[in-house]
Amino acid sequence: MADKTELPACPVEVTLALISNRWKVLILRELLGGTLRFSELKRGVGSISQKVLTQNLRSMESDGLLTRTVYPEVPPHVEYALTERGRSLKGVLDALRAWGESYQHEVAGV
C-alpha cells in the first residue's frame, strides 16, 4: 500500500489493497505451501514476467506479507516465505477457492 498511515476506513478495502491483483493472490497461494525460491515461484504462478513478479514480491515484502532471505552464494540464492501476517490470509484464499469451486459447478458444470 502506498501510504500506510492513511489506511482506508473500510476493512474490506484494506484487504483488497493488500492483495490487489491476481498475481499477489497466486503468490500467496504458492507460498502457503512453504518457502520457495524465485524460480519456483515464477513456475508456480504461471505466465508472469520476471519484472512483474519482482514488483509484486517487493510490494508484499513492504506490506509485511512475506520475507525475502538472501544467501550469499554464487549465484545468489534467494528464498521467499510468508510472515505470520501473510499466513493469516489463508482463510481469505480458502474462501475464494470455495466460492470459485461452487461457481464452476453451478455455471460451468465442472
Side-chain angles (χ1 to χ4, degrees), residues 2-103:
D3 186 359
K4 293 175 177 68
T5 60
E6 302 252 347
L7 292 174
C10 173
V12 172
E13 191 175 347
V14 172
T15 306
L16 288 174
L18 289 170
I19 57 172
S20 59
N21 63 53
R22 74 177 183 161
W23 300 121
K24 288 182 180 180
V25 172
L26 296 177
I27 291 166
L28 286 167
R29 179 197 67 192
E30 293 301 312
L31 288 175
L32 280 169
T35 301
L36 295 172
R37 294 177 76 161
F38 186 89
S39 60
E40 294 169 321
L41 264 174
K42 188 170 181 334
R43 188 172 32 256
V45 170
S47 61
I48 188 171
S49 72
Q50 183 169 330
K51 177 183 176 183
V52 171
L53 179 56
T54 298
Q55 289 170 338
N56 279 282
L57 289 169
R58 286 181 182 156
S59 172
M60 293 171 75
E61 183 180 17
S62 173
D63 290 334
L65 300 178
L66 60 83
T67 59
R68 178 180 184 264
T69 305
V70 180
Y71 296 93
E73 301 172 356
V74 177
H77 174 167
V78 180
E79 290 183 342
Y80 296 89
L82 291 178
T83 61
E84 192 61 38
R85 181 179 295 150
R87 283 189 297 278
S88 73
L89 286 164
K90 183 182 184 310
V92 174
L93 269 60
D94 288 345
L96 288 170
R97 180 190 44 76
W99 189 91
E101 287 173 350
S102 175
Y103 183 83

